[in-house]
Amino acid sequence: MKDIFLKACKGIRADYTPVWFMRQAGRYMPEYQKIRQKYDFLTMCRTPEIAAEVTLQPVRILEVDAAILFSDILIPLEAMGIEIEFLEEKGPKVSPTIRKSSDLIFLREIELEKVNYVFNAIEILVKELPVPLIGFAASPFTLATYIIEGGSTKEFVNTKRFMFSEADSFHRLMSLFTEATLKYLAEQIKAGVHVVQIFDTWAGILSPLDYEIFVRPYVKKLIEGIKNVPVIYFCSNTSGLANHLKEINADVLSIDWRIDIKEAVELFNAHPLQGNLDPLTLLGTEEEIFKRANKILVDGNLARSHIFNLGHGVNINTSVDKLKKLVDFVHEFKIREA
Ligand code: CP3
Protein backbone atom coordinates (compact mmCIF):
# COMPACT_ATOMS: atom_id res chain seq x y z
CA MET A 1 0.00 0.00 0.00
CA LYS A 2 1.18 3.50 -0.88
CA ASP A 3 1.91 5.08 2.50
CA ILE A 4 2.88 8.69 1.73
CA PHE A 5 -0.43 10.00 3.15
CA LEU A 6 -0.04 7.95 6.32
CA LYS A 7 3.48 9.28 6.78
CA ALA A 8 2.28 12.87 6.40
CA CYS A 9 -0.38 12.20 9.07
CA LYS A 10 2.46 11.26 11.39
CA GLY A 11 4.46 14.40 10.55
CA ILE A 12 6.88 12.68 8.17
CA ARG A 13 7.52 14.31 4.78
CA ALA A 14 8.13 12.47 1.55
CA ASP A 15 9.39 13.80 -1.77
CA TYR A 16 5.96 15.00 -2.84
CA THR A 17 2.83 16.26 -1.08
CA PRO A 18 -0.01 13.74 -0.68
CA VAL A 19 -3.44 14.87 -1.84
CA TRP A 20 -7.07 13.78 -1.41
CA PHE A 21 -10.34 15.73 -1.35
CA MET A 22 -13.20 15.92 1.08
CA ARG A 23 -16.33 14.71 -0.77
CA GLN A 24 -14.14 13.23 -3.48
CA ALA A 25 -16.89 10.68 -4.15
CA GLY A 26 -20.10 12.38 -5.16
CA ARG A 27 -22.48 13.85 -7.62
CA TYR A 28 -19.92 15.86 -9.61
CA MET A 29 -18.63 12.52 -10.94
CA PRO A 30 -20.51 10.84 -13.84
CA GLU A 31 -19.49 7.38 -12.54
CA TYR A 32 -21.18 8.23 -9.20
CA GLN A 33 -24.28 9.57 -10.94
CA LYS A 34 -24.63 6.32 -12.85
CA ILE A 35 -24.99 4.34 -9.62
CA ARG A 36 -26.96 7.11 -7.90
CA GLN A 37 -29.62 6.98 -10.64
CA LYS A 38 -30.43 3.43 -9.52
CA TYR A 39 -30.23 3.82 -5.74
CA ASP A 40 -30.95 6.58 -3.25
CA PHE A 41 -28.10 7.92 -1.14
CA LEU A 42 -28.98 5.98 2.03
CA THR A 43 -29.29 2.70 0.13
CA MET A 44 -25.81 3.34 -1.26
CA CYS A 45 -24.49 3.92 2.28
CA ARG A 46 -26.27 0.83 3.62
CA THR A 47 -25.01 -1.56 0.92
CA PRO A 48 -21.35 -2.42 1.62
CA GLU A 49 -20.54 -3.43 -1.98
CA ILE A 50 -21.92 -0.16 -3.36
CA ALA A 51 -20.31 1.97 -0.65
CA ALA A 52 -17.00 0.22 -1.36
CA GLU A 53 -17.30 0.72 -5.13
CA VAL A 54 -18.09 4.42 -4.76
CA THR A 55 -15.20 4.86 -2.30
CA LEU A 56 -12.86 3.40 -4.93
CA GLN A 57 -14.04 5.61 -7.81
CA PRO A 58 -11.97 8.72 -6.99
CA VAL A 59 -8.93 6.57 -6.18
CA ARG A 60 -9.08 5.06 -9.67
CA ILE A 61 -10.12 8.19 -11.56
CA LEU A 62 -8.20 10.94 -9.76
CA GLU A 63 -5.30 8.86 -8.37
CA VAL A 64 -5.52 10.53 -4.98
CA ASP A 65 -3.29 9.32 -2.13
CA ALA A 66 -6.09 8.39 0.29
CA ALA A 67 -9.63 7.04 0.16
CA ILE A 68 -12.42 8.20 2.46
CA LEU A 69 -15.15 5.76 3.33
CA PHE A 70 -18.38 6.52 1.48
CA SER A 71 -20.92 7.15 4.22
CA ASP A 72 -22.28 10.17 6.08
CA ILE A 73 -21.77 11.83 9.45
CA LEU A 74 -25.45 11.25 10.26
CA ILE A 75 -25.32 7.45 9.83
CA PRO A 76 -24.54 6.65 13.50
CA LEU A 77 -27.78 8.36 14.52
CA GLU A 78 -29.56 5.36 12.98
CA ALA A 79 -27.92 3.22 15.64
CA MET A 80 -29.13 5.58 18.39
CA GLY A 81 -32.86 5.35 17.71
CA ILE A 82 -33.03 8.46 15.50
CA GLU A 83 -34.48 8.39 12.00
CA ILE A 84 -32.55 10.00 9.14
CA GLU A 85 -33.67 10.80 5.62
CA PHE A 86 -32.05 12.64 2.72
CA LEU A 87 -34.53 14.73 0.76
CA GLU A 88 -33.65 15.52 -2.86
CA GLU A 89 -33.78 19.30 -2.61
CA LYS A 90 -33.62 20.01 1.10
CA GLY A 91 -30.80 17.75 2.28
CA PRO A 92 -30.87 15.77 5.52
CA LYS A 93 -33.90 15.42 7.78
CA VAL A 94 -33.48 14.06 11.32
CA SER A 95 -36.33 13.05 13.63
CA PRO A 96 -37.32 13.31 16.38
CA THR A 97 -35.43 16.49 17.23
CA ILE A 98 -33.86 17.06 20.64
CA ARG A 99 -34.34 20.65 21.76
CA LYS A 100 -34.75 20.47 25.52
CA SER A 101 -33.71 18.25 28.39
CA SER A 102 -36.88 16.14 28.35
CA ASP A 103 -36.16 15.23 24.68
CA LEU A 104 -32.94 13.44 25.69
CA ILE A 105 -34.98 10.28 26.26
CA PHE A 106 -35.22 9.87 22.47
CA LEU A 107 -31.50 9.22 22.24
CA ARG A 108 -30.58 5.58 22.92
CA GLU A 109 -27.20 4.10 23.60
CA ILE A 110 -25.47 3.25 20.32
CA GLU A 111 -26.13 -0.27 19.00
CA LEU A 112 -23.24 -0.85 16.64
CA GLU A 113 -24.78 -3.93 15.01
CA LYS A 114 -27.42 -1.65 13.47
CA VAL A 115 -24.72 -0.05 11.33
CA ASN A 116 -22.72 -3.19 10.61
CA TYR A 117 -22.86 -2.23 6.94
CA VAL A 118 -20.33 0.52 7.67
CA PHE A 119 -17.81 -1.92 9.11
CA ASN A 120 -18.50 -4.46 6.34
CA ALA A 121 -17.72 -1.82 3.69
CA ILE A 122 -14.42 -1.08 5.47
CA GLU A 123 -13.54 -4.79 5.52
CA ILE A 124 -14.09 -5.03 1.76
CA LEU A 125 -12.11 -1.86 1.09
CA VAL A 126 -8.99 -2.63 3.10
CA LYS A 127 -8.50 -5.76 0.99
CA GLU A 128 -8.76 -3.85 -2.28
CA LEU A 129 -7.36 -0.37 -1.76
CA PRO A 130 -3.91 0.66 -3.03
CA VAL A 131 -3.95 3.66 -0.63
CA PRO A 132 -4.89 4.19 3.05
CA LEU A 133 -8.55 4.37 4.06
CA ILE A 134 -9.89 7.26 6.14
CA GLY A 135 -12.76 6.51 8.52
CA PHE A 136 -14.73 9.39 9.99
CA ALA A 137 -17.34 10.77 12.32
CA ALA A 138 -18.76 14.18 13.13
CA SER A 139 -17.63 15.96 16.26
CA PRO A 140 -20.24 15.74 19.04
CA PHE A 141 -21.12 19.39 18.47
CA THR A 142 -21.60 19.18 14.70
CA LEU A 143 -23.71 16.04 15.14
CA ALA A 144 -25.74 17.80 17.84
CA THR A 145 -26.62 20.68 15.50
CA TYR A 146 -28.36 18.18 13.18
CA ILE A 147 -30.34 16.47 15.91
CA ILE A 148 -31.34 19.80 17.44
CA GLU A 149 -32.20 21.61 14.20
CA GLY A 150 -33.64 18.52 12.47
CA GLY A 151 -31.48 19.20 9.42
CA SER A 152 -29.29 21.87 7.87
CA THR A 153 -29.62 25.48 9.04
CA LYS A 154 -27.96 28.86 8.66
CA GLU A 155 -28.71 30.49 11.99
CA PHE A 156 -28.48 27.61 14.51
CA VAL A 157 -31.22 29.26 16.56
CA ASN A 158 -32.43 26.05 18.23
CA THR A 159 -28.89 24.89 18.95
CA LYS A 160 -27.98 28.13 20.66
CA ARG A 161 -31.30 28.37 22.50
CA PHE A 162 -30.72 24.90 23.94
CA MET A 163 -27.10 25.66 24.75
CA PHE A 164 -27.77 28.96 26.50
CA SER A 165 -30.96 28.00 28.32
CA GLU A 166 -30.24 24.43 29.46
CA ALA A 167 -26.47 24.25 29.57
CA ASP A 168 -26.36 21.14 31.80
CA SER A 169 -28.53 19.14 29.43
CA PHE A 170 -26.54 20.38 26.47
CA HIS A 171 -23.39 19.10 28.16
CA ARG A 172 -25.16 15.80 28.76
CA LEU A 173 -25.95 15.56 25.02
CA MET A 174 -22.29 16.30 24.20
CA SER A 175 -21.20 13.58 26.63
CA LEU A 176 -23.59 11.01 25.16
CA PHE A 177 -22.37 11.78 21.62
CA THR A 178 -18.72 11.62 22.71
CA GLU A 179 -19.20 8.15 24.20
CA ALA A 180 -21.19 6.89 21.19
CA THR A 181 -18.69 8.31 18.69
CA LEU A 182 -15.77 6.71 20.53
CA LYS A 183 -17.45 3.31 20.23
CA TYR A 184 -18.37 3.91 16.58
CA LEU A 185 -14.81 4.93 15.64
CA ALA A 186 -13.22 2.09 17.64
CA GLU A 187 -15.28 -0.33 15.54
CA GLN A 188 -14.19 1.39 12.31
CA ILE A 189 -10.57 1.05 13.44
CA LYS A 190 -11.12 -2.61 14.31
CA ALA A 191 -12.53 -3.13 10.81
CA GLY A 192 -9.33 -1.66 9.35
CA VAL A 193 -9.39 2.13 8.71
CA HIS A 194 -5.87 3.57 8.75
CA VAL A 195 -6.72 7.15 9.75
CA VAL A 196 -9.73 8.88 11.29
CA GLN A 197 -11.04 12.34 10.42
CA ILE A 198 -13.34 14.25 12.76
CA PHE A 199 -15.66 16.65 10.91
CA ASP A 200 -16.43 19.71 12.99
CA THR A 201 -18.07 21.61 10.15
CA TRP A 202 -20.08 23.96 12.38
CA ALA A 203 -17.71 24.68 15.28
CA GLY A 204 -16.95 28.05 13.68
CA ILE A 205 -20.45 29.38 14.45
CA LEU A 206 -19.49 29.70 18.12
CA SER A 207 -17.62 32.41 19.97
CA PRO A 208 -14.18 31.31 21.23
CA LEU A 209 -15.56 31.26 24.78
CA ASP A 210 -18.44 28.96 23.86
CA TYR A 211 -16.14 26.74 21.82
CA GLU A 212 -14.02 26.45 24.97
CA ILE A 213 -17.01 25.63 27.18
CA PHE A 214 -19.19 23.45 24.94
CA VAL A 215 -16.93 21.93 22.30
CA ARG A 216 -13.26 21.74 23.23
CA PRO A 217 -13.56 19.36 26.22
CA TYR A 218 -15.51 16.82 24.14
CA VAL A 219 -13.30 17.06 21.05
CA LYS A 220 -10.27 16.64 23.30
CA LYS A 221 -11.79 13.61 25.03
CA LEU A 222 -12.79 12.13 21.67
CA ILE A 223 -9.37 12.58 20.06
CA GLU A 224 -7.53 11.33 23.12
CA GLY A 225 -9.78 8.27 23.21
CA ILE A 226 -9.04 7.23 19.61
CA LYS A 227 -6.36 4.56 19.75
CA ASN A 228 -3.85 3.23 17.22
CA VAL A 229 -4.47 5.52 14.24
CA PRO A 230 -3.68 9.17 13.43
CA VAL A 231 -6.53 11.68 13.82
CA ILE A 232 -7.28 14.62 11.51
CA TYR A 233 -9.50 17.38 12.95
CA PHE A 234 -11.39 19.39 10.34
CA CYS A 235 -13.22 22.57 11.18
CA SER A 236 -14.00 25.71 9.25
CA ASN A 237 -14.30 29.42 9.96
CA THR A 238 -12.12 28.93 12.97
CA SER A 239 -9.33 31.50 12.75
CA GLY A 240 -10.64 32.96 16.02
CA LEU A 241 -10.31 29.56 17.70
CA ALA A 242 -6.60 29.05 17.00
CA ASN A 243 -5.60 29.11 20.66
CA HIS A 244 -8.11 26.38 21.44
CA LEU A 245 -7.20 24.25 18.43
CA LYS A 246 -3.62 24.09 19.70
CA GLU A 247 -4.81 22.16 22.70
CA ILE A 248 -6.86 19.41 21.19
CA ASN A 249 -4.00 17.04 20.28
CA ALA A 250 -5.06 16.14 16.75
CA ASP A 251 -2.25 14.66 14.67
CA VAL A 252 -3.27 16.88 11.75
CA LEU A 253 -5.32 20.09 11.67
CA SER A 254 -7.44 20.53 8.54
CA ILE A 255 -7.98 24.21 7.79
CA ASP A 256 -10.24 26.11 5.41
CA TRP A 257 -9.35 28.87 2.92
CA ARG A 258 -10.34 31.76 5.17
CA ILE A 259 -6.95 31.51 6.84
CA ASP A 260 -3.64 31.90 4.99
CA ILE A 261 -1.81 28.60 5.33
CA LYS A 262 1.45 30.47 6.07
CA GLU A 263 -0.28 32.16 8.99
CA ALA A 264 -1.63 28.78 10.14
CA VAL A 265 1.91 27.36 10.09
CA GLU A 266 2.98 30.15 12.43
CA LEU A 267 -0.10 29.97 14.67
CA PHE A 268 0.19 26.21 15.11
CA ASN A 269 4.00 26.07 15.42
CA ALA A 270 4.50 24.13 12.17
CA HIS A 271 2.02 21.42 13.26
CA PRO A 272 1.05 19.01 10.42
CA LEU A 273 -1.65 20.69 8.32
CA GLN A 274 -4.24 19.65 5.76
CA GLY A 275 -5.88 22.03 3.28
CA ASN A 276 -6.77 24.60 2.15
CA LEU A 277 -7.85 25.51 -1.39
CA ASP A 278 -11.27 27.17 -1.71
CA PRO A 279 -13.32 24.40 -3.44
CA LEU A 280 -14.92 26.98 -5.75
CA THR A 281 -11.49 27.91 -7.16
CA LEU A 282 -12.05 24.78 -9.25
CA LEU A 283 -14.84 26.56 -11.12
CA GLY A 284 -12.22 28.98 -12.48
CA THR A 285 -9.48 28.68 -15.08
CA GLU A 286 -6.61 26.24 -14.72
CA GLU A 287 -4.25 29.18 -14.47
CA GLU A 288 -6.08 30.55 -11.41
CA ILE A 289 -6.33 27.08 -9.84
CA PHE A 290 -2.63 26.29 -10.26
CA LYS A 291 -1.53 29.74 -9.06
CA ARG A 292 -3.39 29.24 -5.78
CA ALA A 293 -2.42 25.59 -5.43
CA ASN A 294 1.23 26.52 -5.94
CA LYS A 295 1.13 29.09 -3.13
CA ILE A 296 -0.50 26.56 -0.80
CA LEU A 297 2.17 23.99 -1.66
CA VAL A 298 5.04 26.44 -1.13
CA ASP A 299 3.66 27.71 2.19
CA GLY A 300 2.40 24.29 3.31
CA ASN A 301 5.96 23.11 2.94
CA LEU A 302 6.81 25.26 5.98
CA ALA A 303 4.75 22.97 8.20
CA ARG A 304 6.23 19.76 9.59
CA SER A 305 4.11 17.96 7.00
CA HIS A 306 1.32 19.01 4.66
CA ILE A 307 -1.54 17.11 3.06
CA PHE A 308 -3.06 18.99 0.13
CA ASN A 309 -6.86 19.20 0.26
CA LEU A 310 -9.67 21.67 -0.24
CA GLY A 311 -10.94 23.81 2.61
CA HIS A 312 -14.30 21.99 2.38
CA GLY A 313 -15.99 19.39 0.16
CA VAL A 314 -15.81 19.20 -3.64
CA ASN A 315 -18.66 21.26 -5.13
CA ILE A 316 -21.19 19.47 -7.34
CA ASN A 317 -20.31 21.76 -10.32
CA THR A 318 -16.64 20.72 -10.33
CA SER A 319 -15.11 19.23 -13.48
CA VAL A 320 -13.50 15.83 -12.93
CA ASP A 321 -10.87 16.75 -15.50
CA LYS A 322 -9.77 19.86 -13.59
CA LEU A 323 -9.67 17.96 -10.31
CA LYS A 324 -7.48 15.29 -11.91
CA LYS A 325 -5.17 17.99 -13.29
CA LEU A 326 -4.94 19.45 -9.79
CA VAL A 327 -3.88 16.06 -8.40
CA ASP A 328 -1.17 15.82 -11.07
CA PHE A 329 -0.06 19.38 -10.34
CA VAL A 330 0.32 18.59 -6.62
CA HIS A 331 2.22 15.38 -7.36
CA GLU A 332 4.60 17.13 -9.72
CA PHE A 333 5.45 19.86 -7.20
CA LYS A 334 8.65 18.74 -5.58
CA ILE A 335 9.08 19.50 -1.90
CA ARG A 336 12.31 21.39 -1.43
CA GLU A 337 14.48 20.84 1.59
CA ALA A 338 13.24 23.10 4.37
O1 CP3 B 1 -15.99 12.81 1.56
C1 CP3 B 1 -16.43 11.78 1.02
O2 CP3 B 1 -16.33 11.55 -0.20
C2 CP3 B 1 -17.01 10.70 1.93
C3 CP3 B 1 -18.41 10.70 2.16
C4 CP3 B 1 -19.05 11.84 2.94
C5 CP3 B 1 -20.36 12.33 2.61
N1 CP3 B 1 -20.72 13.22 3.57
C6 CP3 B 1 -21.15 11.87 1.47
C7 CP3 B 1 -22.36 12.59 1.09
C8 CP3 B 1 -18.64 12.52 4.08
C9 CP3 B 1 -17.31 12.43 4.80
C10 CP3 B 1 -19.70 13.38 4.47
C11 CP3 B 1 -19.64 14.25 5.66
C12 CP3 B 1 -20.76 15.15 5.95
N2 CP3 B 1 -22.09 14.93 5.76
C13 CP3 B 1 -20.61 16.41 6.57
C14 CP3 B 1 -19.30 17.00 7.09
C15 CP3 B 1 -18.49 17.58 6.02
C16 CP3 B 1 -19.08 18.79 5.37
O3 CP3 B 1 -19.37 18.70 4.17
O4 CP3 B 1 -19.23 19.79 6.06
C17 CP3 B 1 -21.89 16.97 6.70
C18 CP3 B 1 -22.22 18.31 7.30
C19 CP3 B 1 -22.82 16.03 6.19
C20 CP3 B 1 -24.30 16.13 6.18
C21 CP3 B 1 -24.85 16.08 4.80
N3 CP3 B 1 -24.84 14.96 4.00
C22 CP3 B 1 -25.54 17.11 4.12
C23 CP3 B 1 -25.79 18.50 4.66
C24 CP3 B 1 -25.92 16.58 2.88
C25 CP3 B 1 -26.79 17.26 1.85
C26 CP3 B 1 -26.03 18.19 1.00
C27 CP3 B 1 -25.62 17.54 -0.27
O5 CP3 B 1 -24.49 17.78 -0.71
O6 CP3 B 1 -26.45 16.81 -0.83
C28 CP3 B 1 -25.43 15.25 2.79
C29 CP3 B 1 -25.58 14.32 1.66
C30 CP3 B 1 -24.33 13.66 1.14
N4 CP3 B 1 -23.31 13.16 1.90
C31 CP3 B 1 -24.06 13.39 -0.24
C32 CP3 B 1 -22.82 12.71 -0.27
C33 CP3 B 1 -22.10 12.16 -1.47
C34 CP3 B 1 -24.95 13.71 -1.43
C35 CP3 B 1 -25.86 12.56 -1.56
C36 CP3 B 1 -26.50 12.40 -2.89
O7 CP3 B 1 -25.96 11.69 -3.74
O8 CP3 B 1 -27.61 12.94 -3.06
Side-chain angles (χ1 to χ4, degrees):
M1 189 181 65
K2 216 167 129 189
D3 67 349
I4 174 164
F5 165 73
L6 217 47
K7 280 192 176 142
C9 288
K10 295 173 184 166
I12 305 165
R13 299 166 184 232
D15 53 1
Y16 66 92
T17 303
V19 51
W20 69 281
F21 303 112
M22 291 183 266
R23 285 283 185 96
Q24 61 190 15
R27 288 168 301 189
Y28 76 99
M29 211 178 241
E31 292 79 359
Y32 175 91
Q33 289 284 12
K34 213 173 149 199
I35 300 177
R36 180 71 171 79
Q37 272 155 20
K38 280 192 252 165
Y39 308 97
D40 63 50
F41 174 61
L42 272 177
T43 303
M44 288 170 70
C45 293
R46 288 177 185 138
T47 315
E49 294 72 21
I50 298 178
E53 167 56 24
V54 175
T55 303
L56 281 159
Q57 284 177 344
V59 177
R60 281 198 296 255
I61 297 165
L62 304 173
E63 297 185 83
V64 283
D65 300 294
I68 181 158
L69 176 70
F70 185 79
S71 187
D72 198 85
I73 56 163
L74 303 179
I75 291 289
L77 290 176
E78 282 209 307
M80 292 186 243
I82 305 295
E83 203 183 309
I84 56 171
E85 289 171 84
F86 285 85
L87 310 173
E88 282 309 321
E89 296 297 320
K90 291 189 192 146
K93 182 169 181 286
V94 176
S95 58
T97 54
I98 293 180
R99 293 185 176 171
K100 53 186 187 304
S101 62
S102 56
D103 295 339
L104 282 171
I105 49 158
F106 297 133
L107 196 66
R108 292 206 299 264
E109 197 159 320
I110 192 161
E111 293 173 75
L112 292 173
E113 55 290 354
K114 292 211 166 134
V115 286
N116 259 336
Y117 53 82
V118 171
F119 316 121
N120 294 338
I122 294 169
E123 282 158 2
I124 297 174
L125 279 163
V126 289
K127 287 191 206 122
E128 292 188 24
L129 274 168
V131 294
L133 179 62
I134 305 167
F136 68 88
S139 82
F141 177 73
T142 288
L143 193 56
T145 66
Y146 284 93
I147 206 172
I148 297 168
E149 303 292 341
S152 300
T153 173
K154 284 207 171 75
E155 302 272 356
F156 299 89
V157 170
N158 297 302
T159 306
K160 291 190 180 178
R161 182 189 289 122
F162 189 178
M163 189 180 234
F164 297 132
S165 56
E166 291 191 276
D168 288 349
S169 297
F170 193 90
H171 278 291
R172 173 99 189 106
L173 181 61
M174 291 294 103
S175 257
L176 291 169
F177 275 150
T178 306
E179 292 309 319
T181 306
L182 274 171
K183 287 183 189 158
Y184 181 57
L185 287 174
E187 202 63 23
Q188 290 189 29
I189 294 164
K190 208 168 111 195
V193 299
H194 304 99
V195 172
V196 159
Q197 177 156 321
I198 307 296
F199 284 91
D200 210 350
T201 306
W202 303 123
I205 63 151
L206 295 176
S207 72
L209 176 66
D210 292 314
Y211 181 88
E212 184 180 0
I213 297 171
F214 293 105
V215 180
R216 194 180 80 183
Y218 303 99
V219 170
K220 220 168 159 297
K221 188 164 179 211
L222 182 61
I223 292 178
E224 281 161 14
I226 298 169
K227 304 291 177 214
N228 306 321
V229 300
V231 181
I232 305 172
Y233 180 65
F234 163 79
C235 52
S236 68
N237 246 327
T238 45
S239 313
L241 304 178
N243 284 333
H244 298 309
L245 299 185
K246 280 184 196 162
E247 286 186 33
I248 57 163
N249 292 330
D251 296 280
V252 180
L253 287 172
S254 191
I255 54 169
D256 77 4
W257 63 94
R258 296 171 188 90
I259 182 166
D260 192 308
I261 192 161
K262 200 170 180 178
E263 215 173 290
V265 169
E266 281 160 27
L267 273 171
F268 301 122
N269 305 318
H271 192 83
L273 292 177
Q274 174 173 278
N276 71 340
L277 187 70
D278 180 345
L280 297 189
T281 312
L282 284 150
L283 305 187
T285 62
E286 280 174 26
E287 193 191 344
E288 296 295 338
I289 299 168
F290 294 158
K291 202 156 65 185
R292 282 159 184 76
N294 191 70
K295 183 167 183 331
I296 290 169
L297 286 162
V298 169
D299 292 344
N301 192 29
L302 300 168
R304 194 171 328 131
S305 59
H306 174 221
I307 299 159
F308 193 95
N309 205 317
L310 305 175
H312 204 171
V314 178
N315 180 272
I316 188 171
N317 301 299
T318 304
S319 124
V320 176
D321 181 54
K322 278 189 196 163
L323 207 52
K324 168 71 179 127
K325 284 186 176 142
L326 177 57
V327 172
D328 295 342
F329 183 83
V330 174
H331 283 162
E332 281 155 21
F333 177 90
K334 292 277 173 262
I335 298 180
R336 286 156 296 163
E337 288 302 313

